[in-house]
Amino acid sequence: MTGNPVNYAQLLETNNLVQMFSDETYWLCVTRTTQESKLFPVPSYMMLSYLNAYYRYPSLLRKIESRMSMEELGDRARTIGGKTNTLTMGWTLPGFYLCGREWLINMGLLRPEDGVEDLIYVMDCWKRIQLSYHRNDGHITNKEYGHRSQLLPERELQVYEADLYDCKAGDALHTAANRFLATVSAFQFLSHCECRIGICNQGPYKFGDNLELIVRDFMDLGEGDYPWLDGVCAGMEYNNLTVPMVVKDTHFSLMDDWGSFESEPEFRAENIVRIGLYASDPLTEGRVPVAMESAQALVAKFNQLTEQVNEANGKLWKIIAAWSRAHMLEAGALVYFNIPKDLAHLAGVYEQSDWMEIDERAKRFIPLLNDEFGRDALTELVGLVSLPSQACNDYTMGQHHNAPKRMYSPIPYGILTNGDYTRSSGPLYPGSSLFTKTGKWRTSRGMLSQDEYNAAVRAFTPVACSSEYRFVDDYWVKYHSHDKAARELYLRTQENSRHLKGKGSGLKRADIARARGA
């Protein structure tokens, strides 16, 4: 070890975050079924992605923060429906890094006291971006809020309440919307190599007696970071779509840190009574309405999008049918590893080689990752929690299992005395990929090259994130609803609203109902 030593306060906070994360990860894993697929080697590619995350995340996060802080990234992420969400930042950012670290410890290639400054930095990044992203509900994770996430400010929810269209089972809008939701969900599983990280949910929000709103995001739909979607998704109009829906007689009792939900009674499509459609990316002023000028236009748009997705799905099946197992292993590992990539897009520092290559240090392990070994390694790591490093003394009772084990190893405090630790796993090493990016990126400003996209993002600041309005939060507005800054921010949010344009701040729900009725 050289340089400034780590201190006790850093270790205390980092180990607290690691343990809190360990408890929640165990709960998330044991409430799910085994992740396997008849098409993709899912457990094996997950293990490869964890290694890639361990070796690359610290350097990539530092690169991102050289341009934009985690706090500002969290504020920008909250305004759009991209892969900067509960799933991306709430779990995968630290989760994949910690899984890679734990597996390397158990293979004897790492000690718990190695890469200490990297670990401290990764967990600190996670804490800061989560606090910013969850600013409106005041938590770090959904778990802390009883497994719910209420991320959106009042001004956005007011627009949803005013503008979402009524629908009921069997009518044209309900039928078109649910056909689209089913079609795009199936496509997202295939394009993301048989995993669900292209879909995330947030909420619930109270929308009246027996009514709750949830907000569903569908991400990476167009040509963009994934090379296998070049050409395949040429007909897709949008890269990220958000579908807010109001559901009757259904309480969403759980919205966890993987962005999935449970409800009482079970969620049924026929209980959707209002719906809308919005698009966003790092270059939009929040979520922009799509075909929301009339119910008929929205029906037509849902039907059109369904056909676009169906066309892309057919092309993608033909491409994947020609892949070898090596292609499927690498594609899945890249999809998993690069979940936080949109942080780089938000900061305007995205490079394809950073996020779509397997680090040469991680590639060394590919010969191990046959189907059986990958399955068993994953099961021991996050299911059984039975690896040697995960054992605690016999008196320990874990939070969810009462067993003497913890999923992730803390940093030993003894390093404060003997100084025997290493600071980092090192800088980015060279990487490689079986896939080559050939197209441009689908954005709200058309198709852009990587350099054009980064430059556009660097030159753009959403109004809600500008210095004038960034800290105009709901609790400030509560006491200053008629101040100029509050009034102007609400007016900005209402610019594309059918019913609230020009209404400003200080609205009550009765005002929303009257505007909606008019």
Side-chain angles (χ1 to χ4, degrees):
M1 184 276 298
T2 59
N4 296 326
V6 298
N7 61 54
Y8 189 32
Q10 289 176 307
L11 297 196
L12 287 170
E13 181 177 44
T14 301
N15 283 343
N16 171 255
L17 293 171
V18 169
Q19 185 56 47
M20 179 177 70
F21 198 81
S22 178
D23 294 335
E24 175 65 354
T25 300
Y26 180 83
W27 181 86
L28 287 167
C29 290
V30 298
T31 54
R32 299 301 192 281
T33 56
T34 301
Q35 294 177 271
E36 289 192 274
S37 161
K38 297 298 183 183
L39 181 61
F40 284 85
V42 175
S44 295
Y45 81 52
M46 290 170 66
M47 298 304 292
L48 181 57
S49 76
Y50 299 157
L51 295 171
N52 215 39
Y54 178 79
Y55 289 123
R56 291 204 153 202
Y57 279 1
S59 293
L60 293 178
L61 291 174
R62 290 184 176 103
K63 178 178 179 177
I64 290 167
E65 279 217 289
S66 71
R67 173 70 178 83
M68 188 176 293
S69 72
M70 288 294 152
E71 290 83 356
E72 185 173 353
L73 287 163
D75 288 335
R76 293 199 180 204
R78 195 171 54 249
T79 69
I80 63 174
K83 270 192 186 151
T84 44
N85 52 42
T86 296
L87 175 60
T88 304
M89 298 178 296
W91 190 82
T92 57
L93 175 60
F96 290 1
Y97 179 82
L98 289 171
C99 281
R101 173 178 179 260
E102 203 66 27
W103 194 32
L104 287 166
I105 290 171
N106 282 278
M107 288 191 288
L109 300 173
L110 201 69
R111 304 174 304 163
E113 54 265 44
D114 288 329
V116 169
E117 290 186 5
D118 282 350
L119 177 56
I120 290 171
Y121 179 67
V122 169
M123 299 309 295
D124 181 65
C125 282
W126 173 66
K127 177 195 70 175
R128 289 185 288 118
I129 197 169
Q130 283 291 94
L131 286 171
S132 173
Y133 184 64
H134 283 266
R135 186 176 81 178
N136 290 316
D137 66 37
H139 298 85
I140 294 182
T141 65
N142 287 7
K143 173 196 174 184
E144 290 183 314
Y145 198 14
H147 286 115
R148 64 181 62 188
S149 57
Q150 296 181 357
L151 306 170
L152 301 181
E154 177 193 52
R155 63 183 189 275
E156 291 186 44
L157 295 167
Q158 287 180 342
V159 170
Y160 286 159
E161 184 167 17
D163 290 355
L164 298 186
Y165 285 101
D166 292 333
C167 62
K168 61 181 179 180
D171 70 18
L173 178 55
H174 196 280
T175 300
N178 279 285
R179 181 168 169 253
F180 168 74
L181 291 170
T183 305
V184 76
S185 295
F187 174 72
Q188 290 296 77
F189 274 93
L190 183 63
S191 65
H192 287 75
C193 304
E194 295 286 281
C195 72
R196 55 163 298 274
I197 59 175
I199 306 169
C200 193
N201 306 285
Q202 59 162 288
Y205 302 90
K206 188 172 181 61
F207 259 50
D209 293 337
N210 299 318
L211 295 176
E212 293 184 9
L213 171 83
I214 62 170
V215 180
R216 310 201 69 191
D217 292 315
F218 300 89
M219 305 153 289
D220 283 331
L221 293 166
E223 293 179 299
D225 302 328
Y226 300 148
W228 50 88
L229 297 186
D230 287 346
V232 164
C233 292
M236 294 292 292
E237 294 179 73
Y238 305 97
N239 198 43
N240 306 309
L241 287 170
T242 296
V243 181
M245 59 178 68
V246 178
V247 184
K248 69 177 183 179
D249 301 326
T250 306
H251 171 53
F252 292 90
S253 55
L254 180 147
M255 192 74 69
D256 65 28
D257 287 294
W258 283 354
S260 54
F261 61 78
E262 293 180 5
S263 65
E264 301 167 356
E266 183 179 1
F267 170 72
R268 300 173 66 87
E270 53 261 39
N271 284 345
I272 299 173
V273 294
R274 296 183 203 166
I275 202 158
L277 181 65
Y278 297 78
S280 61
D281 67 22
L283 295 170
T284 60
E285 292 284 359
R287 297 167 180 84
V288 179
V290 175
M292 289 287 286
E293 59 269 21
S294 70
Q296 294 75 23
L298 186 56
V299 170
K301 179 57 69 175
F302 273 130
N303 287 332
Q304 181 186 32
L305 290 170
T306 299
E307 295 311 310
Q308 291 174 10
V309 175
N310 274 327
E311 181 182 357
N313 205 40
K315 293 178 180 178
L316 184 57
W317 270 114
K318 293 178 182 178
I319 288 177
I320 291 178
W323 282 1
S324 66
R325 184 183 186 279
H327 285 87
M328 292 186 179
L329 176 70
E330 186 171 298
L334 289 171
V335 164
Y336 243 55
F337 153 76
N338 73 22
I339 292 177
K341 65 184 173 56
D342 277 19
L343 296 176
H345 280 304
L346 280 171
V349 295
Y350 179 86
E351 290 189 57
Q352 189 78 352
S353 58
D354 289 342
W355 295 98
M356 287 300 298
E357 290 185 357
I358 303 295
D359 192 287
E360 64 181 23
R361 292 166 291 181
K363 276 206 163 180
R364 297 174 299 170
F365 297 89
I366 288 179
L368 287 176
L369 294 172
N370 59 50
D371 290 347
E372 293 76 15
F373 184 87
R375 178 199 63 206
D376 293 347
L378 180 65
T379 300
E380 280 205 86
L381 177 63
V382 299
L384 299 175
V385 193
S386 55
L387 296 172
S389 72
Q390 296 172 320
C392 301
N393 69 67
D394 292 341
Y395 302 100
T396 302
M397 297 176 66
Q399 184 179 72
H400 296 293
H401 46 67
N402 292 330
K405 53 189 178 183
R406 65 201 315 170
M407 187 166 289
Y408 300 125
S409 297
I411 302 169
Y413 291 102
I415 67 172
L416 296 171
T417 302
N418 59 30
D420 181 19
Y421 66 92
T422 60
R423 302 174 64 181
S424 172
S425 62
L428 280 182
Y429 277 52
S432 60
S433 174
L434 297 172
F435 302 95
T436 302
K437 173 72 181 166
T438 58
K440 293 186 175 183
W441 277 256
R442 167 68 65 185
T443 78
S444 54
R445 299 187 188 179
M447 300 301 294
L448 301 178
S449 69
Q450 176 180 287
D451 290 343
E452 290 169 336
Y453 195 2
N454 282 334
V457 171
R458 284 172 175 261
F460 174 71
T461 300
V463 168
C465 297
S466 66
S467 58
E468 187 173 0
Y469 301 114
R470 182 179 172 193
F471 302 119
V472 179
D473 68 302
D474 283 354
Y475 283 92
W476 189 87
V477 171
K478 178 179 178 179
Y479 299 102
H480 303 86
S481 61
H482 298 297
D483 282 20
K484 178 183 177 183
R487 187 169 60 253
E488 290 183 350
L489 182 56
Y490 273 67
L491 288 171
R492 293 273 194 162
T493 305
Q494 297 161 357
E495 281 182 347
N496 294 312
S497 171
R498 295 193 323 281
H499 294 124
L500 296 188
K501 185 171 183 177
K503 301 289 186 184
S505 54
L507 297 174
K508 303 295 185 183
R509 297 193 74 176
D511 301 321
I512 308 292
R514 281 192 292 271
R516 181 179 174 84

